[in-house]
Amino acid sequence: MSNAVKNGLAHYDQLIAKLQCGFVPLLLLFCRLWVAWVFFNSGLTKIASWDSTLFLFELEYQVPILPWELAAYLGTGAELVLPVFVALGLLARPMSAILFVFNIIAVISYPVLWEQGFYDHQLWGLMILNVVVWGPGAISADHWLRKRFS
């Protein structure tokens, strides 16, 4: 390989590395905020019409193992608490992993999603997995805390 090609590849790699330094934290922030917004709004909808939520958990949702009333409280709580941690990027990996499992349980528990919202849940699952695998990124409380205390 000629020196010109090697130099060209080296410059290309440097350019990509610089672009990734700026783009990847923004991508991870976007994923965190999008997913947090979706799940938090769902939790707000549930508490806004609690009687309807209880009805759905009793008769529509088929949450495995848990009694329907406990599932209603835990599910709503998860949708209101986990997104806050994910959005802030605080304990982001474990909270995102829990939210990922929650997302799977939501799909399993509500068969209607297979027809209407399954692709949304797939997208959200992939966005959550980005955070689990890559971490919350440089624009996060985890990153700030790590820098502050190391």
Side-chain angles (χ1 to χ4, degrees), residues 79-126:
E79 286 183 325
L80 293 172
V81 173
L82 294 172
V84 173
F85 282 91
V86 172
L88 294 173
L90 181 61
L91 300 171
R93 277 191 162 122
M95 295 300 161
S96 295
I98 295 167
L99 191 60
F100 182 77
V101 171
F102 179 85
N103 186 45
I104 291 171
I105 292 170
V107 171
I108 291 169
S109 300
Y110 195 40
V112 172
L113 283 179
W114 286 91
E115 296 173 14
Q116 296 175 355
F118 183 64
Y119 294 109
D120 289 337
H121 282 268
Q122 284 180 326
L123 174 64
W124 302 331
L126 287 171

Side-chain angles (χ1 to χ4, degrees), residues 32-45 79 83 103 120-121 124 127:
R32 289 191 351 252
L33 293 178
W34 184 286
V35 168
W37 178 80
V38 167
F39 282 93
F40 191 76
N41 277 335
S42 180
L44 290 177
T45 300
E79 286 183 325
N103 186 45
D120 289 337
H121 282 268
W124 302 331
M127 293 173 96

Side-chain angles (χ1 to χ4, degrees), residues 30-84:
F30 174 79
C31 289
R32 289 191 351 252
L33 293 178
W34 184 286
V35 168
W37 178 80
V38 167
F39 282 93
F40 191 76
N41 277 335
S42 180
L44 290 177
T45 300
K46 284 181 176 64
I47 61 170
S49 56
W50 188 245
D51 289 337
S52 297
T53 298
L54 291 175
F55 174 83
L56 286 171
F57 272 90
E58 182 179 12
L59 301 174
E60 292 283 327
Y61 301 159
Q62 300 164 8
V63 178
I65 302 170
L66 297 175
W68 66 268
E69 196 167 24
L70 179 60
Y73 283 101
L74 289 177
T76 304
E79 286 183 325
L80 293 172
V81 173
L82 294 172
V84 173

